[in-house]
Every structure is written in C-alpha cells, then in structure tokens.
C-alpha cells in the first residue's frame, strides 16, 4: 500500500509538472494574455488533479 502510494505520488508530480510545462507552451504559442494565464493554469491543474485522484482510487480498489 505504501509503495503504491509513493510511486503514484512521484508519478503524479511528474505528470503535473509536465502538464504545466505544456500549458505554458500553449499560452505562449496562442498568445493568450497574461491576465488569463492564472485562470487557465488553475483550471487545468484542478482537472488533472481530479483525474489523478480518480485513477489512484481505481488502482487502489481493483
């Protein structure tokens, strides 16, 4: 249980870091105004976090 949690937390941190990197590239490429960046990052981070939590719960109970 603890090893699964440890591996999943490392995996989740990597995923969140990479998604944020891709989001930053998207904002730069599409020339999105700076005042909207925070809202975009917040929305994407919340959605990815929900996805990661639901994935962890699915792995835990299968």
């Amino acid at each position: 249980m603890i090893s699964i949690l440890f591996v999943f937390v490392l995996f989740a941190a990597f995923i969140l870091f990479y998604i944020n990197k891709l989001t930053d590239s998207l904002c730069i490429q599409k020339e999105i105004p700076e005042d909207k960046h925070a809202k975009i990052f917040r929305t994407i981070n919340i959605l990815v976090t929900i996805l990661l939590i639901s994935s962890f719960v699915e792995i835990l109970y299968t």
Side-chain angles (χ1 to χ4, degrees):
M1 169 74 177
I2 298 297
S3 62
I4 293 172
L5 180 64
F6 180 71
V7 169
F8 199 84
V9 167
L10 287 176
F11 173 73
F14 174 75
I15 294 294
L16 281 171
F17 173 76
Y18 202 72
I19 291 293
N20 281 328
K21 187 176 173 182
L22 290 173
T23 303
D24 187 50
S25 297
L26 174 75
C27 289
I28 291 171
Q29 182 182 12
K30 296 296 180 181
E31 298 175 357
I32 298 172
E34 288 288 329
D35 57 337
K36 292 187 178 183
H37 282 203
K39 185 178 179 183
I40 292 170
F41 275 94
R42 187 180 321 115
T43 302
I44 290 176
N45 284 335
I46 289 170
L47 293 173
V48 170
T49 303
I50 290 169
L51 180 65
L52 288 168
I53 291 170
S54 66
S55 298
F56 180 72
V57 169
E58 183 179 349
I59 290 170
L60 194 62
Y61 290 113
T62 56

